Structure formats: C-alpha cells, structure tokens
Amino acid sequence: MSIEAINEQLLRAIGVGVALLDLKEFKFRFHNDTFAEWFGEPDADARLTDFFSSLDPEALREALSDGGRFATETTFKVKRRTMTVAMDFNRALDGGERIAVLVCQNITRIKELESMIDSYSMMVERNTRELKREKEQVEKLLLNMMPRSVYEEYKTFGVVTPRLYDPVSVLTLDFCGFGDMVATLDPGVIVSELNDIYSAFDRIGEQFGCERIKTIGDAYITVSGMPDAAPDHAMSVANAAIRFLRYLKQRNGSHPVQWQCRIGISTGAVIGSVVGVQKYIYDVFGPAVTRALRIRGHAGPMSVAADGEIAQLVEAKFNRISMGPRELVGGTETEIFRMEAVADQPQTYGSQS
Amino acid sequence: MEQTLFQKYGGFSKVSRIVLDLYNRLLDDDDIGPFFDDVDMARIVDHQTKFISSLLGGPASYTDEQISRMHHHLEIHTRHFDRLSEILAETLTDHGMTPQDVETVVQGFEQRRKLIVV
C-alpha cells in the first residue's frame, strides 16, 4: 500500500470529520467516513450550503481569502441526542487550485459538561447566598444578645472571658402593675406592646451610649461604660432614663394601654460574661446591678431614683430631691434621691459637656 | 454533621460522571427517552445535575410543589417511573455505590412517585 493510500485510509477512519472543498463554488472534493456519518453522504454536485444552510458563503470566502481561517459551530439531533460539532475551515492550495480544508470536531461532551458546570455553579452560588443570609441572621440575633466586641471574641475563640468593668452606670426599669396587666390583657397584646416599648428604649439608649443587656419580662437593664469605657457613663444613663419617661408619657397619650415605669440608676462595678453552656446569654451582674435593682424598688411610678454617688456625678444637669434614707443592701441605710432634669432638652450622647 | 451520600461518593467530580452516564442511558431508553425529544440539551443536563445532586443530598433540593409543577404537563405513567427507577439503580450500582446506598437513593426517589405519575 502506498503512502498516499495509507494517508487516505487514515483520513477516512479518523474520528474527526474531514472534507475538502473548492473555494469557487464550495463543492465537495473529498470527505471522510466520519463526515458522512454525521452529515450524510454528499453527492457529486453537492455544495457546502446544502448541508449547512445557516452558513454564509460570502463571509466564509472573505475570511479565507487572505489565507485566514473560519470557525463556527453547528448543532443537530442524532435520534434525541443533541450533537454539537465545531467546524474549522482552513485555506490550502492543491496544485495552484484554491481549496478549503474543513475539520469537524465533535464537542458534544464538552457542551454537556459546560451545561453541567453551569447548573452546578448556579446551585452552589444560590446555596452560598442562602448560607450568607443565614449567617447574617444568626449574627443579628447574637448581636441582640451581646455587645459587638463580645460577639467578636465569641466568634473568634468560641468562649468569652468574663471581664470586670469599672466604673459603669446601670439603669434598671420595670412597670407598675405588670402582674395585673398580664392577667387581664391578651398575651399577644402584652408582647406586642413590650416589643414596641423595648425597641424604643433600645433606640433611645443607643443614642445616649447605653448598651441594653437584657429584658426579663417587664424588667429592662441597660448599662453605659461597657464594653468600652466611657467617662460620662453616669450622664448617659441619667439622660436615657429621663427620655424613657418622656417617651412613655407621650405614648400613653395616644395608646389605649397605659404603661407606668419605675427606674433605678446606680454606678459602680459589674462583671460581664456569657453565662450558660447550651442555652447561653450574655449577662452582667455585680454591685452596680444589685444597687440599681434595689433603688428601683424605691422609685415611684414614672420617676427615676438614684443613690448619692450617681446623683453627684450628674448634678450639673439633674436636680436631686431627697427621698430619705432607705435600706438597700445588707441592712445598711442609704439616702435615695428622685432625679429630675434641669433642662428640658438633655443633650445627646457624644455632645455632652 | 452526618455525611451526605454526595460527600461520601466524592462530591461533584464523581457525581458529574454519574449525571452524564444517567443522561446517556435515559436518552437511549425507548420508554424514557421520548420525554426528552423536544427538550434542549442544556436543560436536560441541568435537570439531571439537580436531580442526582438532590437525591444524594448535594447542593440542590426541590420542594414537592416544584416537582409537581415540573412534571404536571408530562404523561408519566407507572411504567415510566418504574423504568427510571431501574435505570437510576443500575447507573448508581455501576458507579460503585453500595447496594444499601442505592436503596436509600431509590427510596428517596420513590417517595416522590405520587408527585410525578399522572
């Protein structure tokens, strides 16, 4: 067998579709078995456009005229399977006659894989977005339970080191007659009202640099001076306390359910830490919290009570009216004061002098 | 966290082979193939990828409502469903999945029968 014959046999048997075309009329000069298998057997007068009607012969001729190449793709169905074939035209010379060599490669599998990767990528991207959204929700939830710096520590190390914060100021608040309200009002109404009021308190507290620690039923505790130390911590809680009262008065004017609160404020040291293993909360406790709770017990409805220490720290902007000595902790008596703002408009956090 | 079959059998790199194999077998099957006669290749592949991934607990999941909606226009009868179940089991077995895991996947598929068969 001659070399030419071997070459032709190889060309016929190869798994790539090969055809030779004259450039004048795009008639077939040669095609191999694979080409015929995919596109059918061209007869003597068959032209390229008979097989590929979407091909623009002028564009093809122009692309090949300066010795360039022309690449395109075609798809067709074999039974119910979509086949995609990449077609590559290259110009060649055959004894001075201009011809084009057409090489067709089956890229069906590549297309299928591309579709699969697209599909999979979209799934993964969607899941990633969902995970991110869930993570943000969890983060939001945890940030509602603890200060950001504590959350960052928890996220990084998985534990929170208990810390002593000194000095800080603590504001505790509860509602007069809450037990009766719970017994008489619809639970849904109670919760919705508390949500509304606590959200407002959180906003006001934030405005004055207070970090709300927790609510237990009708008890609300917020602290200033932690996690970051603040020189005006006492002024912050006093200002927030007066604003809480103003907010409630305003609200009672337009709401059917009337809320009367009592507030106790105190200053001193607290410990802040995540407490609990499975069901953990961030909590603060210590002398300042205990005193604020006891002082609150002596406050009248819609008033703020304080001890001498914090009253002295805020005397520039708050008048104190003595309520006399009261027993707070361990049987000792301490003078308690009702606090009233000197000015109608306490300045907001960050602009206090 | 419990490992999904998707993870156990090597994630997407392995599942991609199962998907393409299932795709070929379904298209070659004279009972099931006709359902894909007029469906664009990219859509079939997308469907198979999600189908296999979801059955193996991978990054895809369908709600019952979605499955119903996707198949409600098709005349899928019990024999078609049985045949697909058979092809699925054969494909998974040929790709080295244990009989127990194949059974788990086929059961997962079986649970959705009422959503697909007319």
Side-chain angles (χ1 to χ4, degrees), chain B residues 43-57:
Chain B
R43 278 194 53 218
I44 308 173
V45 171
D46 179 52
H47 170 71
Q48 306 294 8
T49 307
K50 288 174 179 167
F51 174 62
I52 291 293
S53 297
S54 67
L55 285 179
L56 300 183

Side-chain angles (χ1 to χ4, degrees), chain A residues 77 79-82 109 111-113 115-117 119-120 123-124 127, chain B residues 6 12 20 23-24 27-30 33-34 37 45-46 49 59-60:
Chain A
K77 287 254 184 181
K79 203 174 174 189
R80 58 183 64 99
R81 188 175 269 99
T82 305
R109 184 41 64 102
K111 289 286 172 187
E112 288 167 356
L113 282 167
S115 297
M116 200 182 337
I117 290 165
S119 165
Y120 187 78
M123 282 193 287
V124 171
N127 284 3
Chain B
F6 187 87
F12 182 66
L20 281 180
Y23 165 83
N24 285 328
L27 289 190
D28 287 341
D29 187 85
D30 289 330
D37 274 348
V45 171
D46 179 52
T49 307

Side-chain angles (χ1 to χ4, degrees), chain B residues 35-82:
Chain B
F35 286 105
F36 301 109
D37 274 348
D38 303 316
V39 183
D40 167 53
M41 177 270 291
R43 278 194 53 218
I44 308 173
V45 171
D46 179 52
H47 170 71
Q48 306 294 8
T49 307
K50 288 174 179 167
F51 174 62
I52 291 293
S53 297
S54 67
L55 285 179
L56 300 183
S61 60
Y62 290 114
T63 63
D64 287 359
E65 203 260 328
Q66 282 172 312
I67 295 172
S68 286
R69 206 179 47 237
M70 283 190 293
H71 298 91
H72 82 277
H73 64 287
L74 299 168
E75 283 281 316
I76 300 172
H77 295 285
T78 302
R79 66 186 169 89
H80 298 129
F81 194 92
D82 291 345

Side-chain angles (χ1 to χ4, degrees), chain A residues 149-160:
Chain A
S149 59
V150 174
Y151 165 72
E152 295 294 347
E153 186 184 345
Y154 184 78
K155 198 170 64 168
T156 311
F157 303 107
V159 290
V160 174

Side-chain angles (χ1 to χ4, degrees), chain A residues 232-243:
Chain A
D232 48 7
H233 53 87
M235 202 59 92
S236 292
V237 297
N239 274 328
I242 295 298
R243 282 299 188 87

